[in-house]
Amino acid sequence: MLDERTLVAWSFPNIPWRLNDRHSKHRNGALASVTAPHSRTFWCTAVKADLVEWRCKGQDGKTEWWNSGGATSLALRRYVGEQEERWSMWLSGVSNDAAGGEVERVGLLTSADGEDWVRHHGDKVFGSVMDCNTEDWWWFDVAGVRVYNVTKLKSDLVLDDDSVHFMYYAGADRTRRRQIGLAISKDGIYWSRIEGEHHSGALWEYDSTNPIVVIDENGGYRMFFLRDETARSAISSNGVSWVEDAGHCNGLPFPISTFAIHQESPRYMFLCQPQTSRQVQVFLAGDNEMWSKHCDVQTEVDWQQISIIPMGGNNFRIYGVGSDRQVHVVAVCV
């Protein structure tokens, strides 16, 4: 019987994160090229981290973790203090339901450097920290929870002086329809669903996925998301109630399969298209709600979903899930 202190280490290889215009080659020989405007090319290390089958005793007596069937999406946060830094990864993974079918649950991993990870043993099914909704059969997320964004926000709808964690995710119902939902947490471990305006509990009616929330220029919140593989946006004053806004997506390509946004200035969007899923395109936000192409990042991963972490200057790490249901990380300089 495993208790809440049981952790299993997940190690990335040692990575030479210092990047420059010269070729930087990892011991596994993997390279990723970044082609910027004016034919300038950067080189960076691409590292693949295989998902091992971490296991614990499930409620039905079988040996399984929430991600035993692989990963489907992830969201990351990096906290940098004077003495240390802390990383958190919320990972959606595939495991079985009571009928033997596949469902998606969210688990938590933590790290001191973004390379060596330990898995938190949550109090939900198979060690997850957020399960699909098993109490309300009519809800939009009874068959799965696919996390895309965890951010700390303040809202007048939350009775707390400090900001709390807002998790934006795409839930799946029994027909595998995807709608966007919200859960909040004080510590990033114990989560409570927030009922949206749609009768299913979703934030709105329409099929949508890949929600990413940033601070808007007017001090409110703006969500970028995908509907029918098209980038769209919505605005909110509290992070809970949203109104779709037609602007802020001009210049972006179609179709888009996944994207991530650097929330600071300058604002970058990293995105992939279905027909070129190994190429990460980087766009830069400009004036008049217009995005312009900045550079391309060539990798060896067929990306299903991506998230980015700024590492200072123009250096980023792209973390994501490939079509192989494994977690990958690529260091880039844009």
Side-chain angles (χ1 to χ4, degrees), residues 143-193:
V145 178
R146 184 172 291 186
V147 61
Y148 285 93
N149 186 210
V150 175
T151 187
K152 297 196 76 175
L153 302 178
K154 283 191 175 184
S155 173
D156 56 10
L157 298 182
V158 179
L159 299 178
D160 197 306
D161 292 335
D162 298 322
S163 57
V164 297
H165 292 84
F166 278 54
M167 176 192 289
Y168 294 94
Y169 64 93
D173 62 16
R174 295 299 179 188
T175 66
R176 298 297 169 177
R177 180 188 184 190
R178 294 280 179 183
Q179 291 175 283
I180 294 174
L182 169 64
I184 64 173
S185 171
K186 183 69 174 176
D187 56 10
I189 300 174
Y190 300 98
W191 293 90
S192 298
R193 285 175 169 83

Side-chain angles (χ1 to χ4, degrees), residues 22-334:
R22 299 181 180 180
H23 290 189
S24 175
K25 196 166 186 178
H26 189 254
R27 64 184 177 217
N28 64 9
L31 286 173
S33 65
V34 182
T35 304
H38 314 299
S39 300
R40 189 181 183 191
T41 300
F42 298 95
W43 289 88
C44 57
T45 308
V47 179
K48 173 181 174 182
D50 293 336
L51 277 176
V52 298
E53 294 212 8
W54 303 303
R55 295 183 175 274
C56 70
K57 287 293 182 183
Q59 292 181 345
D60 59 357
K62 295 181 180 179
T63 303
E64 190 167 8
W65 277 96
W66 87 88
N67 60 336
S68 290
T72 55
S73 70
L74 57 82
L76 293 112
R77 283 188 64 83
R78 179 192 181 205
Y79 308 87
V80 180
E82 294 182 359
Q83 302 296 329
E84 61 179 2
E85 63 179 81
R86 294 179 292 111
W87 295 61
S88 296
M89 177 191 293
W90 291 269
L91 180 71
S92 288
V94 175
S95 51
N96 292 327
D97 62 10
E102 285 190 344
V103 299
E104 291 170 292
R105 300 177 171 95
V106 180
L108 173 65
L109 300 101
T110 57
S111 172
D113 55 12
E115 300 176 29
D116 296 313
W117 294 85
V118 293
R119 185 172 44 182
H120 176 85
H121 184 203
D123 64 350
K124 305 299 182 182
V125 176
F126 300 143
S128 62
V129 296
M130 186 169 177
D131 195 4
C132 49
N133 195 332
T134 58
E135 299 179 359
D136 304 312
W137 60 266
W138 63 90
W139 267 56
F140 71 102
D141 57 356
V142 294
V145 178
R146 184 172 291 186
V147 61
Y148 285 93
N149 186 210
V150 175
T151 187
K152 297 196 76 175
L153 302 178
K154 283 191 175 184
S155 173
D156 56 10
L157 298 182
V158 179
L159 299 178
D160 197 306
D161 292 335
D162 298 322
S163 57
V164 297
H165 292 84
F166 278 54
M167 176 192 289
Y168 294 94
Y169 64 93
D173 62 16
R174 295 299 179 188
T175 66
R176 298 297 169 177
R177 180 188 184 190
R178 294 280 179 183
Q179 291 175 283
I180 294 174
L182 169 64
I184 64 173
S185 171
K186 183 69 174 176
D187 56 10
I189 300 174
Y190 300 98
W191 293 90
S192 298
R193 285 175 169 83
I194 301 298
E195 185 171 356
E197 296 182 353
H198 191 249
H199 63 78
S200 67
L203 295 183
W204 54 70
E205 175 184 2
Y206 306 105
D207 292 15
S208 308
T209 189
N210 209 134
I212 305 293
V213 173
V214 299
I215 305 297
D216 200 20
E217 60 268 16
N218 61 9
Y221 304 118
R222 179 171 297 278
M223 178 190 294
F224 292 89
F225 62 95
L226 294 178
R227 182 188 302 149
D228 298 327
E229 298 184 316
T230 301
R232 300 174 182 267
S233 73
I235 55 176
S236 172
S237 62
N238 54 33
V240 178
S241 300
W242 295 87
V243 177
E244 190 164 349
D245 177 32
H248 287 76
C249 294
N250 297 321
L252 296 174
F254 170 85
I256 299 174
S257 55
T258 181
F259 70 90
I261 295 179
H262 176 225
Q263 303 201 23
E264 306 297 331
S265 181
R267 180 165 290 174
Y268 293 103
M269 178 182 291
F270 294 65
L271 64 85
C272 298
Q273 295 189 270
Q275 66 272 26
T276 55
S277 60
R278 294 192 175 193
Q279 176 179 285
V280 180
Q281 303 176 49
V282 184
F283 283 75
L284 180 63
D287 298 331
N288 301 319
E289 304 177 358
M290 178 66 70
W291 295 85
S292 59
K293 185 70 167 290
H294 179 67
C295 65
D296 291 325
V297 180
Q298 302 293 338
T299 76
E300 298 179 355
V301 181
D302 291 316
W303 298 103
Q304 174 177 293
Q305 183 262 342
I306 59 173
S307 181
I308 59 171
I309 293 291
M311 299 302 296
N314 293 326
N315 296 316
F316 294 85
R317 294 186 195 179
I318 303 174
Y319 290 79
V321 177
S323 58
D324 54 3
R325 287 187 172 179
Q326 295 179 352
V327 175
H328 304 259
V329 56
V330 175
V332 301
C333 178
V334 300

